[in-house]
Amino acid sequence: MEAACRVTVVVLGTLAVLIHLVQAQDQQGFISLDCGLPAEELSSPYDEPSTGLRFSSDAAYIQSGQTGSIQPNRESQYLKPYRRLRYFPNGSRNCYNLNVEKGSKYLVRAFFVYENYDGLNIKPKFDLYLGPNLWSTIDFQEPEEDVRRVEMLHIPTSNSLQICLVKNGTTTPLISTLEIRPVKTTIYETVSGSLNLYLRTFFNKSDTYIRYPSDRYDRVWTSYSSYFRNEWIQIFTTLQVEVNNLENYYDPPNAALTSAATPTNSNLPLMINWTSSNVDNQYYFYTHFAEIQELQTNDTREFSIVWNGEVLRRQFIPPKFSAFSLYRSSPSTCEGGKCSLQLIRTNTSTLPPLINALEVYTVIHFSQSETNENDVVSVQNIKTSYRISKNSWQGDPCVPQQLMWEGLNCRITDKSTPPRITYL
Ligand SMILES: *[C@@H]1O[C@H](CO)[C@@H](O)[C@H](O)[C@H]1NC(C)=O
Ligand SMILES: *[C@@H]1O[C@H](CO)[C@@H](O)[C@H](O)[C@H]1NC(C)=O
Ligand SMILES: *[C@@H]1O[C@H](CO)[C@@H](O)[C@H](O)[C@H]1NC(C)=O
Ligand SMILES: *[C@@H]1O[C@H](CO)[C@@H](O)[C@H](O)[C@H]1NC(C)=O
Ligand SMILES: *[C@@H]1O[C@H](CO)[C@@H](O)[C@H](O)[C@H]1NC(C)=O
Ligand SMILES: *[C@@H]1O[C@H](CO)[C@@H](O)[C@H](O)[C@H]1NC(C)=O
């Protein structure tokens, strides 16, 4: 199921069923950048019609790169923000600078759509950095798909968020959108580190997705569709599932709760398992349950929730038409990279277990400190006053060391000490 965290094209497509949008809800604090969109008044900003999200040009947030568009015959597969892109033939590191609030929590997401925009049919591979730290490698070579998504829940350590595309090899980095959403700090808490999205799904067999405005945080939920196991059946309700956001801070969207998977053989557990090649991954997961069938008075649905053999709940009864979110408050690794979530019917239960939605994240530690804030301000001032437009003068001035700004000297000690600029 490593592959289950991949996005299918439909994630960006016009095929979403859930369009019950009229006036846009509150998008306060959202940053939605359509990379490569011209900054002219008439084109930016615009409201994407199916989501209501207000997208703007990225031009004010980056000084480099060129703009392109995916092949015209592929455009109909994508919503407008995903058709254009910015690519970076020059410079080994190109960075976006976004204003955020230090100490607040954000969902930070980027989409990358290749679709042969350059007519060369060379699938790119490059790195994505958050400030001085590697976040992810964007590799279009494997598997054969033209869309990549990365997403994390992160608390910035300063008021600016630097997202950098870094060349590693000969291919040209590109980016289609940047999407930043503020999230309550009291949810998705970790012992340490940020959360990198591995999987966010709801158990529906159809090929679709849910996002804003159904999800107030614009989390993108993809249906389990082709991963839906033969030994499961899908149940569905047309009734509302209540989400009391005073009790359930995770606030999963109603649409992600109205369907569920349950085992066909009601005596067998419902098992969700995957194997990761990275055996050191530390996981956090969030399961969302709701009873969505009208039960007879003599019926009960009760099961235990078991993660990697550890019983998290012994006799769980999903609340009727109301969401309950269950998670483990500390991270765990999976032995040999094999992870399993099992829902096991109790002896007294007359009905098999069910699950409505599931999120899985891995912990990511950004251990390299950013360069001393005062030093950065001074060197930025020099850059502005002398109108220095060296391509290498982007991102953190000192780190990572191989990308240090040309003409600078830095004192870099250990990762937890902010580097100092010693010479200019
Ligand atoms: C790349 O950089 C070179 C030298 O800095 C400059 O002459 C050229 O115009 C740049 N090309 C692009 C596509 O920005
Ligand atoms: C860059 O590419 C090389 C060769 O593929 C790889 O060994 C290295 O880990 C990559 N570096 C990063 C930061 O991804
Ligand atoms: C889930 O599947 C049902 C059909 O079984 C469909 O009617 C419904 O629209 C789907 N729900 C979502 C949220 O896509
Ligand atoms: C899931 O578990 C079953 C039964 O133990 C096993 O046969 C299967 O290979 C596992 N799948 C993955 C992806 O690990
Ligand atoms: C519950 O009652 C219905 C009829 O009232 C009956 O058909 C069904 O078999 C009963 N279920 C159980 C588990 O006893
Ligand atoms: C269920 O029943 C079996 C045998 O009847 C018993 O061994 C087991 O302990 C029971 N499990 C629970 C959770 O009560």
Side-chain angles (χ1 to χ4, degrees):
M1 208 176 67
E2 184 107 280
C5 63
R6 272 164 33 203
V7 227
T8 51
V9 169
V10 79
V11 169
L12 305 178
T14 43
L15 304 171
V17 197
L18 304 150
I19 301 169
H20 34 73
L21 150 94
V22 196
Q23 80 272 39
Q25 288 182 46
D26 189 12
Q27 291 180 40
Q28 201 175 10
F30 281 28
I31 301 175
S32 308
L33 301 183
D34 176 342
C35 303
L37 176 73
E40 280 96 59
E41 233 173 89
L42 287 177
S43 56
S44 174
Y46 65 90
D47 292 336
E48 194 291 307
S50 73
T51 57
L53 288 167
R54 170 155 294 194
F55 275 88
S56 321
S57 162
D58 63 338
Y61 305 92
I62 191 151
Q63 274 77 52
S64 53
Q66 295 190 308
T67 61
S69 298
I70 63 170
Q71 293 295 328
N73 64 348
R74 300 292 300 155
E75 280 188 354
S76 64
Q77 301 297 308
Y78 297 91
L79 295 178
K80 184 176 173 190
Y82 307 98
R83 295 175 192 161
R84 244 172 318 231
L85 55 101
R86 184 177 290 273
Y87 64 100
F88 303 94
N90 267 11
S92 42
R93 173 168 62 174
N94 291 274
C95 297
Y96 282 87
N97 259 310
L98 304 168
N99 293 327
V100 289
E101 226 173 85
K102 177 178 176 170
S104 295
K105 184 171 286 179
Y106 293 91
L107 183 158
V108 182
R109 175 168 60 219
F111 274 106
F112 309 85
V113 182
Y114 175 63
E115 289 292 7
N116 199 19
Y117 76 92
D118 53 2
L120 299 173
N121 244 320
I122 300 171
K123 305 270 178 147
K125 182 178 177 182
F126 55 90
D127 291 323
L128 192 68
Y129 276 72
L130 187 74
N133 290 288
L134 179 67
W135 173 8
S136 186
T137 294
I138 309 300
D139 183 1
F140 284 95
Q141 285 150 15
E142 272 300 312
E144 271 292 314
E145 234 173 55
D146 273 16
V147 180
R148 294 289 180 272
R149 155 170 67 148
V150 292
E151 187 174 322
M152 67 171 152
L153 289 154
H154 175 67
I155 300 177
T157 51
S158 73
N159 289 328
S160 91
L161 198 63
Q162 285 191 323
I163 295 173
C164 303
L165 294 98
V166 176
K167 253 190 201 173
N168 184 15
T170 55
T171 54
T172 302
L174 68 92
I175 185 165
S176 303
T177 65
L178 261 176
E179 304 170 5
I180 318 286
R181 317 291 182 227
V183 171
K184 257 189 264 179
T185 45
T186 48
I187 57 175
Y188 301 110
E189 287 184 296
T190 64
V191 174
S192 69
S194 301
L195 293 177
N196 208 19
L197 181 67
Y198 188 78
L199 170 74
R200 187 186 297 116
T201 193
F202 62 107
F203 290 89
N204 195 302
K205 286 169 102 161
S206 53
D207 205 5
T208 182
Y209 67 95
I210 299 164
R211 65 181 298 182
Y212 188 85
S214 303
D215 189 307
R216 57 184 293 211
Y217 296 122
D218 194 25
R219 288 166 293 194
V220 175
W221 304 75
T222 49
S223 56
Y224 213 57
S225 58
S226 57
Y227 301 101
F228 209 93
R229 304 263 288 256
N230 290 330
E231 57 271 33
W232 300 345
I233 46 170
Q234 184 210 296
I235 56 175
F236 180 71
T237 182
T238 51
L239 299 175
Q240 277 284 120
V241 175
E242 185 199 332
V243 183
N244 180 344
N245 55 25
L246 293 178
E247 280 169 17
N248 187 332
Y249 298 121
Y250 286 86
D251 218 351
N254 174 71
L257 300 164
T258 51
S259 44
T262 178
T264 315
N265 179 339
S266 62
N267 291 316
L268 291 181
L270 189 151
M271 170 137 117
I272 296 163
N273 61 337
W274 66 90
T275 308
S276 171
S277 49
N278 188 349
V279 298
D280 298 325
N281 272 350
Q282 290 192 298
Y283 294 92
Y284 279 92
F285 62 90
Y286 303 83
T287 48
H288 308 285
F289 300 100
E291 178 58 72
I292 55 167
Q293 286 184 322
E294 300 278 7
L295 303 191
Q296 307 290 328
T297 48
N298 59 355
D299 269 336
T300 53
R301 191 191 308 276
E302 189 185 74
F303 51 94
S304 47
I305 302 168
V306 180
W307 164 249
N308 289 342
E310 172 198 358
V311 182
L312 299 180
R313 271 295 167 105
R314 213 162 276 285
Q315 291 165 309
F316 177 68
I317 300 176
K320 295 191 170 103
F321 296 93
S322 167
F324 184 86
S325 300
L326 181 104
Y327 54 93
R328 197 174 180 277
S329 54
S330 54
S332 50
T333 52
C334 301
E335 212 180 308
K338 288 187 199 313
C339 309
S340 80
L341 182 70
Q342 277 182 293
L343 308 177
I344 306 167
R345 195 175 105 164
T346 63
N347 286 358
T348 52
S349 180
T350 63
L351 296 170
L354 61 64
I355 184 165
N356 308 64
L358 170 69
E359 296 170 82
V360 181
Y361 299 85
T362 56
V363 177
I364 181 165
H365 289 285
F366 296 117
S367 50
Q368 174 63 58
S369 303
E370 294 168 17
T371 298
N372 177 287
E373 220 169 328
N374 297 330
D375 290 4
V376 173
V377 171
S378 329
V379 78
Q380 286 289 3
N381 288 342
I382 292 171
K383 183 180 164 183
T384 330
S385 16
Y386 294 95
R387 302 223 181 89
I388 298 171
S389 60
K390 278 191 190 151
N391 223 332
S392 81
W393 283 37
Q394 294 195 46
D396 193 285
C398 297
V399 275
Q401 206 162 351
Q402 73 274 17
L403 296 172
M404 189 188 293
W405 290 9
E406 214 181 303
L408 231 59
N409 271 354
C410 296
R411 187 169 64 241
I412 303 167
T413 41
D414 54 287
K415 283 188 167 186
S416 57
T417 310
R420 300 295 309 250
I421 298 172
T422 54
Y423 172 78
L424 176 67

